[in-house]
Amino acid sequence: MSTPVSVIEILGPGCWRCQEAYRVVQHVVEQAGLHCHVRKNSSIARMVELGVLATPAVAFDGRVVLSGHVPKIAEIRELLGLEPGGQT
């Protein structure tokens, strides 16, 4: 399955919350069979560039879609358009 998102970044300093956010996103991508790259990024410069004020943050192709909490599986699925809204 393909998705219009080609790169998903997990932005944060590498704390357990950032690692868990990466794990959740990677799980959704693998389970859905999506063809996109999931990357961890701990660069402060990149976070400033994207305007991230709270971590962990998740960005789709350079656009921050959530920040400040570890996402739930359903939340990531919804953001990727894999399931209808309202189920976070």
Side-chain angles (χ1 to χ4, degrees), residues 23-45:
R23 188 194 67 75
V24 168
V25 170
Q26 186 66 38
H27 173 77
V28 170
V29 168
E30 288 174 1
Q31 290 299 309
L34 301 178
H35 299 288
C36 59
H37 300 285
V38 180
R39 300 181 186 151
K40 289 186 227 176
N41 195 333
S42 59
S43 166
I44 300 294

Side-chain angles (χ1 to χ4, degrees), residues 8-69:
I8 301 174
E9 288 178 274
I10 311 305
L11 300 134
C15 64
W16 72 267
R17 291 171 18 134
C18 299
Q19 292 170 8
E20 182 63 10
Y22 177 84
R23 188 194 67 75
V24 168
V25 170
Q26 186 66 38
H27 173 77
V28 170
V29 168
E30 288 174 1
Q31 290 299 309
L34 301 178
H35 299 288
C36 59
H37 300 285
V38 180
R39 300 181 186 151
K40 289 186 227 176
N41 195 333
S42 59
S43 166
I44 300 294
R46 180 67 171 155
M47 287 181 242
V48 169
E49 177 184 341
L50 295 179
V52 172
L53 299 176
T55 61
V58 178
F60 292 173
D61 293 329
R63 184 178 61 87
V64 176
V65 295
L66 68 86
S67 68
H69 68 278

